[in-house]
Amino acid sequence: LEQFLAVYPGSRKAGAALHLLGRSHEEKKQRHQALAVYAKLVFLHPGDAKHGPALKSLRRILAKEKAYRDRHEALAKMIDEAPAGGSRADRRYAYLEFLSKLDADKLHERVLAEHIRFRRDFSLDPRLPHLDLWAAVSWANKGASRESALAFRKFELLYPDSPSGPYARFTRAELLTQELGEHKEAVLILRALLNELPGNKYAARALYLLAEVEERRFKDHGAAIRDYRRVVTDYRESSLAPDALLEIAEIRSKRMKDYSEAVAVLHEFVDVFPRDIRGAEVLKQAGDLQAGRLKNYEAAAASYARVAEAYPDSKIAVEMLLKAGKLHEEKTGRLDAAESYYRQALDNYPDSKKRGQLEKRLAKIRERRGG
């Protein structure tokens, strides 16, 4: 059947051959392959007598197959919008779009084969760059990182002015460092991307990845901090900017043992990104460093107490007020500050499970003051 369709793709019996091929795959429990074949009939042969049965089988497999549960609605929409008219190239391209959304691990070879056929039959079609990009992504989804990296490189060479160039270059660098262990080559690609196209869509991600490689692979902490800092200053609106600050704090703390600077960066995180949900934990981390490493109990208590001020709805707000009070009670001797934090916790969180502890602490303070 595959040979018949390859030799006689325009035969009036092509629809019947595709339907029979789809049924054959189903009988062999090859549902992904059957899905691809039925879809080819639906997209490429809208007027064929087997169109209706193929469409029915296509919908049934999509509904049953667990792999497509999250994508079922989007895939069903693509089927509904399959072009009934238009040129043969348009119908083929619509089919390729659908095919690219299916399980690449199961259908990788079919995806590549259909790409090759499209390129052969429509060698001047302006959509060819998209097909080459899909091929590169398909290799990556299959886990073939070397082939994917080479396919992305091919795309860069064939289409140097493509708007998708930054994506191809970034993804190739990502594959080289994360999957293939070629970190030096990845760094060269990332730096070239940033120098040649500094404002491109992937610049923030490229900087972040560059800093990761510098820190984790080359142990160049200074360079990593510099590039993480560039993410924060140059791409403040990027979702990676808060993460970059936390990475700087971790390098300062765990790699360089510069605890004072680490604390400063953690507080900067809260100042610059006050709505980030990690803020409460970040302040706790700052307080832990101040108390445990720097022995600055006054500053640590202020960091803990800031949690309740900046994030009053945090689950750890009461715990942090309790810790702040205990530091003053046990370390600084400032009983008035300790009492203030305990009372703040009781007043603002009357239903807290720590109410008993707080009341006992206040009672102790009264005893130390002589009743």
Side-chain angles (χ1 to χ4, degrees):
L1 288 168
E2 291 282 11
Q3 288 176 3
F4 175 84
L5 289 163
V7 177
Y8 307 108
S11 168
R12 60 185 179 82
K13 294 184 178 181
L18 283 167
H19 188 253
L20 183 55
L21 181 59
R23 286 175 52 194
S24 300
H25 281 304
E26 276 204 89
E27 288 172 6
K28 294 182 69 176
K29 308 299 183 184
Q30 298 171 340
R31 288 187 291 274
H32 295 277
Q33 293 291 344
L35 188 67
V37 172
Y38 286 137
K40 187 170 185 177
L41 198 165
V42 169
F43 279 85
L44 271 58
H45 304 278
D48 192 90
K50 295 296 184 181
H51 181 275
L55 183 59
K56 184 177 179 181
S57 298
L58 182 60
R59 294 188 190 281
R60 174 171 43 78
I61 296 174
L62 267 183
K64 280 187 174 183
E65 192 59 47
K66 293 180 180 179
Y68 304 120
R69 189 169 294 165
D70 295 339
R71 289 172 282 167
H72 180 269
E73 187 176 339
L75 291 170
K77 184 179 179 183
M78 293 181 76
I79 295 169
D80 292 338
E81 295 175 353
S87 68
R88 194 161 62 95
D90 289 341
R91 293 199 300 274
R92 289 270 295 277
Y93 191 82
Y95 170 60
L96 284 170
E97 281 190 301
F98 179 80
L99 201 58
S100 72
K101 306 299 183 187
L102 301 182
D103 192 319
D105 188 48
K106 301 288 194 306
L107 295 169
H108 172 70
E109 291 182 6
R110 183 172 289 278
V111 169
L112 290 184
E114 293 291 351
H115 285 178
I116 291 170
R117 290 191 190 104
F118 187 96
R119 175 178 287 281
R120 180 194 64 203
D121 296 342
F122 309 103
S123 58
L124 299 178
D125 194 286
R127 295 168 291 193
L128 289 179
H130 296 291
L131 297 186
D132 286 338
L133 208 56
W134 286 348
V137 172
S138 184
W139 281 112
N141 290 339
K142 185 176 171 59
S145 301
R146 174 65 64 192
E147 290 83 352
S148 180
L150 290 170
F152 279 117
R153 178 58 176 154
K154 173 185 173 183
F155 179 88
E156 294 169 37
L157 294 171
L158 288 176
Y159 313 106
D161 298 322
S162 170
S164 298
Y167 164 74
R169 294 168 75 174
F170 170 78
T171 308
R172 183 160 70 95
E174 194 174 40
L175 287 167
L176 288 171
T177 183
Q178 295 180 355
E179 303 296 336
L180 299 171
E182 298 180 14
H183 312 300
K184 290 182 179 179
E185 180 67 18
V187 165
L188 290 175
I189 294 168
L190 292 169
R191 285 178 176 160
L193 175 59
L194 291 164
N195 291 334
E196 294 167 18
L197 301 167
N200 77 84
K201 184 179 178 181
Y202 289 86
R205 293 175 65 180
L207 262 178
Y208 193 94
L209 181 59
L210 178 60
E212 276 190 335
V213 177
E214 289 165 338
E215 196 268 315
R216 297 176 188 179
R217 302 300 180 181
F218 299 146
K219 311 302 180 185
D220 190 343
H221 306 314
I225 288 175
R226 179 197 66 217
D227 288 326
Y228 279 132
R229 176 59 66 180
R230 285 179 62 193
V231 176
V232 179
T233 56
D234 297 349
Y235 304 96
R236 178 70 57 86
E237 302 304 317
S238 167
S239 61
L240 292 173
D243 295 338
L245 267 185
L246 293 181
E247 290 291 345
I248 293 172
E250 183 169 350
I251 294 171
R252 291 290 189 187
S253 173
K254 295 183 179 180
R255 306 286 182 266
M256 303 175 77
K257 311 301 180 185
D258 187 351
Y259 303 115
S260 295
E261 188 59 33
V263 168
V265 174
L266 292 170
H267 278 282
E268 180 187 357
F269 177 94
V270 177
D271 293 335
V272 177
F273 305 107
R275 296 183 181 179
D276 193 292
I277 59 174
R278 296 168 291 183
E281 289 293 339
V282 167
L283 284 173
K284 178 183 181 301
Q285 186 181 347
D288 290 346
L289 287 174
Q290 289 168 312
R293 297 292 185 176
L294 299 173
K295 308 302 179 185
N296 188 341
Y297 304 115
E298 185 92 23
S303 292
Y304 291 143
R306 191 179 174 190
V307 172
E309 176 188 341
Y311 308 97
D313 297 328
S314 169
K315 293 180 180 179
I316 64 171
V318 177
E319 179 188 348
M320 293 300 99
L321 285 171
L322 180 59
K323 289 190 74 165
K326 287 168 70 174
L327 281 177
H328 280 302
E329 184 182 352
E330 298 170 359
K331 299 295 185 180
T332 71
R334 287 187 53 200
L335 299 184
D336 56 336
E339 182 179 6
S340 175
Y341 287 136
Y342 295 149
R343 291 195 181 282
Q344 182 183 342
L346 287 170
D347 292 342
N348 294 345
Y349 306 94
D351 299 324
S352 171
K353 294 180 180 179
K354 298 189 180 294
R355 185 175 185 84
Q357 292 185 51
L358 292 163
E359 290 175 340
K360 287 180 182 179
R361 289 280 174 179
L362 282 172
K364 280 187 179 182
I365 289 176
R366 285 195 296 270
E367 288 177 10
R368 288 177 65 176
R369 286 175 169 167

